[in-house]
Amino acid sequence: MICDIRIDDRLIHGQVCGFWIPHYNLQRIAIVDDEIIHDAQRKTALKFGCPDKCKLSIFSTDSAADKFIRKIDEGIRVMILCQSSIPLLKLYEKGFHFNEITVGNMASKPDAVRIRKTLYVTKEEKEAFLKLNQYGVKIISQMVPNEPREDIIEEIRKV
């Protein structure tokens, strides 16, 4: 069961480990990223940072779309975790459909525009968010579970 589809460019870190894993009682985090999948050092660091009680899988967008469409993790509590909106648009367009994305941190980077305090998007990320929203996907901002959930698509459109 997919409990959440979350964007947080820090991936495995304190908020995910300390708040989101317990909040959803997650059994697995599935990172979807076409670059990390080829970076052995980064994969090792991410696996080291994941708590023992929660398994970590790292997939390319192609592999993730195939696995999630086939419901390979059915019966397991899973969070899909990405660094940006771009892999999520790829997943959606490959046939894995979902209704909502929760956005956490997206740090400042070259050519990015500030949406909120810790949320910056590039032109490509903005376009991916807007396209996902056209498909009917809600874009929600929420850093930790006890914060209010806010639809941020209008803020994204304005930049």
Side-chain angles (χ1 to χ4, degrees), residues 52-64:
D52 290 338
K53 71 175 193 161
C54 186
K55 295 190 184 323
L56 176 66
S57 299
I58 302 171
F59 301 121
S60 67
T61 51
D62 287 338
S63 178

Side-chain angles (χ1 to χ4, degrees), residues 4 6 20 24 102-104 116 140-150:
D4 194 9
R6 182 168 183 80
W20 293 106
Y24 288 119
T102 307
V103 182
R116 290 183 158 210
I140 303 297
S141 175
Q142 187 179 30
M143 292 299 283
V144 292
N146 64 348
E147 281 187 0
R149 297 167 44 75
E150 299 178 67

Side-chain angles (χ1 to χ4, degrees), residues 120-139:
Y120 295 78
V121 295
T122 64
K123 180 182 177 200
E124 295 80 14
E125 290 165 339
K126 175 184 176 179
E127 289 170 1
F129 276 128
L130 294 177
K131 186 92 173 217
L132 284 161
N133 187 248
Q134 286 175 353
Y135 290 140
V137 177
K138 288 181 73 173
I139 314 299

